[in-house]
């Protein structure tokens, strides 16, 4: 047996491990129930809310995260390693713990809530915040490695050609990491959409799709949770495929 | 105005540029020569204002436009040739038509008009180089800085590029600063050479000064040739101090030849061989080295030959004894330094 044949065995097992439950789930759902569920207002609203909240989180991360990624990629300063590590923390801590942490920072009686007058618990802002917290490392790390891949001499050349640092960033650095920004944004958005643990602690209502799935499973069992789950997966997949097609065309 | 670096120090991580003192006259072709990792690129980045010195001063560059062209040209891959060339004009108060006019003029000058709409990835090495120089030239720089511009080119293209650089320098009359690790390139282009080792300028001078009297063994070793002789070439014969050496090279009233010490054969009697250069001389000095023995034979000028210890013992060579030195035409390198293009203070 050739090596590449041998390599197929573990590879195919892995792919099946991921694909089988998804396929099984789709075939387990009665198409007529699926259609009915897709028409339910609660389901439609929760999916739109999920996509929108994650999109807002991603936009906020683009505004704040790109400059930070640039600093991490280009500058050396004391404590940089610690700050870079801080960005990765959300990936390793349980997301329910993230929810609790955010709740203690922004909860009704917290200092931040009192001093800003903002009461975010149970709002869409809270959902976006929870999504932001857990998924921002995907964007920052992607953009950071994008900036690291660019030879700094491109930027230096822009400066000698008369650009000021801001013009250099805007006309050279940023367009050159476009691909990293797009792929990082897709990763972050997708990760945000799937967030459950942190979201449910900060905002049970309005109900996001992952919370709705959990709620239906808790109250009515697997049979009722399945259609929502399948719809959510189909919608997410469609969006990702469309983005990839758009990207491949450019 | 001359460019002067006075006691410039710059620390970058573990690397340290130490007490740089460089004086480049206006309109001069200055070559900064040194091995890789010696601090050449950092030095030109200081001159271009991309780095600030930790101490010391740099004068003669304030308010001047510098055209810095890096080794791999650094053409912006997300822009096409037109957009690359016009990049620097974006930040000047110019109308679109004026920009188009300027780009067309400079593109014509560099013979790249047909490439203006092409993507950078579609260009050949030579086209990239011309685009990069055009991008700098469009801003009418007072100082051109080239970082290893020929290192990616093959031998033939290198020669051609050098000749283009010479002509371009003559045409613009601007100050050129050119970084290289290739001493042939340095001698063929420079009015003045600065040699940099490990963040330190170890010697500056005309090619003549540097190649006839290297300031240190390190410089001489770096130059790679133990025998560098000044003279003139006429019809395939190099003449210096009454000695005629057969060479391959074009006629020039000022030439240098260089012969590696291990290319020179020593014998007690004249050898009947295909080598065209054979001279009788007297051994004036003998140095034992780790790698062998260096014998200096005076044939009208001193010539250094390196032989193995065994040969040295077998031949029973002593100071004052008479020997024949023989070397092939192909082992003689000829460097012409075209005096017409020198704008320096020699």
């Amino acid at each position: 047996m050739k090596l590449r044949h041998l390599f197929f065995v573990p590879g195919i097992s892995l792919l099946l491990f991921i694909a089988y439950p998804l396929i099984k789930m789709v075939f387990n759902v009665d198409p007529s129930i699926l259609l009915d569920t897709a028409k339910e207002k609660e389901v439609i609203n929760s999916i739109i809310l999920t996509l929108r909240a994650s999109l807002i989180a991603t936009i906020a991360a683009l505004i704040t995260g790109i400059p930070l990624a640039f600093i991490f990629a280009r500058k050396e300063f004391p404590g940089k390693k610690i700050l870079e590590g801080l960005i990765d923390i959300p990936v390793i801590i349980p997301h329910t713990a993230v929810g609790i942490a955010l709740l203690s920072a922004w909860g009704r009686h917290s200092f931040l809530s009192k001093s800003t007058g903002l009461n975010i618990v149970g709002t869409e802002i809270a959902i976006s915040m929870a999504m932001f917290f857990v998924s921002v490392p995907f964007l920052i790390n992607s953009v950071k490695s994008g900036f690291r891949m660019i030879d700094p001499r491109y930027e230096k050349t822009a400066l000698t050609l008369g650009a000021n640092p801001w013009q250099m960033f805007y006309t050279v650095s940023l367009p050159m990491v476009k691909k990293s920004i797009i792929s990082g944004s897709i990763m972050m958005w997708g990760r945000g959409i799937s967030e459950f643990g942190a979201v449910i602690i900060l905002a049970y209502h309005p109900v996001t799709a992952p919370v709705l799935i959990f709620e239906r499973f808790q109250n009515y069992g697997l049979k009722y949770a399945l259609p929502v789950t399948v719809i959510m997966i189909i919608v997410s997949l469609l969006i990702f495929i469309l983005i990839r097609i758009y990207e491949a065309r450019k | 105005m001359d460019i002067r670096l006075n006691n410039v120090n710059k620390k970058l991580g573990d690397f340290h540029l130490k007490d740089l003192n460089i004086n480049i006259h206006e309109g001069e072709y200055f070559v900064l020569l040194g091995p890789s990792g010696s601090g050449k690129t950092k030095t030109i980045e200081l001159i271009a204002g991309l780095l600030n010195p930790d101490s010391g001063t740099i004068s003669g560059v304030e308010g001047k436009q510098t055209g810095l062209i890096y080794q791999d040209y650094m053409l912006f891959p997300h822009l096409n040739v037109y957009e690359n060339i016009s990049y620097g004009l974006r930040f000047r108060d110019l109308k679109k038509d004026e920009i188009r006019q300027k780009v067309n003029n400079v593109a014509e000058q560099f013979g790249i008009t047909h490439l203006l709409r092409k993507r950078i990835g579609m260009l050949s090495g030579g086209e990239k180089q011309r685009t990069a120089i055009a991008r700098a030239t469009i801003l009418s720089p007072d100082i051109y800085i080239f970082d290893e511009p020929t290192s990616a080119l093959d031998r033939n293209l290198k020669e051609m590029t050098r000749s283009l650089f010479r002509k371009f320098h003559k045409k613009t009359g601007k100050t050129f600063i050119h970084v290289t690790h290739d001493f042939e390139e340095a001698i063929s282009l420079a009015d003045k050479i600065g040699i940099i080792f490990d963040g330190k300028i170890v010697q500056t001078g005309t090619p003549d000064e540097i190649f006839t009297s290297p300031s240190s063994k390190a410089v001489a070793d770096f130059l790679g040739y133990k025998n560098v002789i000044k003279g003139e070439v006429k019809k395939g014969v190099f003449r210096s101090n009454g000695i005629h050496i057969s060479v391959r090279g074009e006629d020039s009233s000022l030439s240098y030849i260089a012969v590696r010490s291990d290319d020179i054969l020593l014998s007690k009697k004249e050898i009947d061989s295909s080598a065209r250069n054979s001279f009788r001389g007297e051994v004036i000095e003998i140095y034992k080295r780790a790698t062998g023995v260096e014998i200096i034979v005076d044939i009208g000028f001193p010539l250094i030959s390196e032989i193995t210890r065994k040969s040295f013992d077998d031949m029973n060579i002593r100071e004052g004894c008479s020997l024949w030195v023989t070397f092939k035409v192909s082992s003689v390198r000829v460097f012409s330094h075209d005096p017409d293009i020198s704008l320096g203070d020699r």
Side-chain angles (χ1 to χ4, degrees), chain B residues 56-210:
Chain B
T57 58
I58 300 173
S59 64
V61 290
E62 319 82 34
K64 294 270 178 77
Q65 175 67 43
T66 52
L68 170 60
I69 295 136
Y70 278 112
Q71 186 171 358
D72 307 312
Y73 315 124
M74 296 296 132
L75 294 167
F76 306 130
H78 59 291
L79 304 178
N80 66 20
V81 172
Y82 181 94
E83 291 161 338
N84 262 281
I85 295 175
S86 63
Y87 181 84
L89 299 177
R90 285 189 195 188
F91 314 113
R92 300 191 171 188
D93 200 14
L94 289 171
K95 290 201 180 89
K96 261 197 167 163
D97 283 346
E98 288 175 276
I99 292 179
R100 190 174 303 127
Q101 188 62 44
K102 276 176 181 277
V103 173
N104 286 338
N105 287 347
V106 80
E108 202 176 331
Q109 188 188 338
F110 288 93
I112 50 175
T113 307
H114 61 294
L115 303 174
L116 286 175
R117 297 292 152 200
K118 278 206 174 177
R119 298 194 64 83
I120 297 307
M122 313 277 283
L123 304 184
S124 72
E127 290 169 344
K128 280 184 186 165
Q129 188 173 55
R130 278 181 280 159
T131 304
I133 300 174
R135 181 173 68 178
T137 303
I138 203 165
L139 302 175
S140 316
D142 308 290
I143 305 156
Y144 280 91
I145 305 177
F146 300 98
D147 186 12
E148 301 268 11
T150 67
S151 65
L153 307 175
D154 66 38
R155 208 176 160 75
N156 281 342
L157 259 172
K158 250 183 205 178
E159 284 295 334
M160 256 172 60
T161 309
R162 281 178 205 159
S163 143
L164 282 173
F165 274 66
R166 255 182 245 133
K167 284 180 191 149
F168 188 50
H169 178 239
K170 198 173 174 183
K171 193 174 153 193
T172 59
K174 302 291 184 190
T175 307
F176 275 37
I177 301 172
H178 182 123
V179 160
T180 183
H181 63 272
D182 180 343
F183 72 92
E184 278 185 45
E185 184 158 305
I187 200 169
S188 76
L189 290 171
D191 293 323
K192 191 156 76 192
I193 296 173
I195 297 185
I196 184 166
F197 284 153
D198 195 24
K200 253 186 178 163
I201 298 283
V202 291
Q203 191 172 7
T204 38
T206 62
D208 194 3
E209 286 159 2
I210 290 195

Side-chain angles (χ1 to χ4, degrees), chain A residues 17 72 88 144 194 212:
Chain A
F17 179 75
F72 280 156
D88 289 330
K144 183 173 76 179
S194 65
L212 185 67

Side-chain angles (χ1 to χ4, degrees), chain A residues 34-50:
Chain A
L34 198 66
L35 228 83
D36 286 344
T37 313
K39 287 178 195 155
E40 271 182 57
K41 213 159 184 222
E42 193 184 19
V43 174
I44 296 168
N45 284 346
S46 77
I47 289 174
I48 291 172
L49 168 70
T50 309

Side-chain angles (χ1 to χ4, degrees), chain A residues 4 17 47 51 57 72 79 88 123 172 180 191 213 220 238 248:
Chain A
R4 69 191 159 102
F17 179 75
I47 289 174
L51 300 178
F72 280 156
D88 289 330
T123 66
V172 173
S180 305
R191 182 63 198 84
I213 292 166
Y220 312 106
L238 272 179

Side-chain angles (χ1 to χ4, degrees), chain A residues 21 83 107 150:
Chain A
L83 295 183
I150 308 177

Side-chain angles (χ1 to χ4, degrees), chain B residues 34 42 49 54 56-57 59 71 76 79 83 139 163 165 177 203 219 239 241 266 270 286 299 306 313 319 333:
Chain B
K42 294 297 163 211
D54 296 337
T57 58
S59 64
Q71 186 171 358
F76 306 130
L79 304 178
E83 291 161 338
L139 302 175
S163 143
F165 274 66
I177 301 172
Q203 191 172 7
V219 173
R239 293 152 213 265
N241 210 14
L266 296 180
E270 187 169 13
I286 295 170
I299 61 161
E306 197 173 314
D313 292 337
E319 275 183 22
R333 310 297 294 270

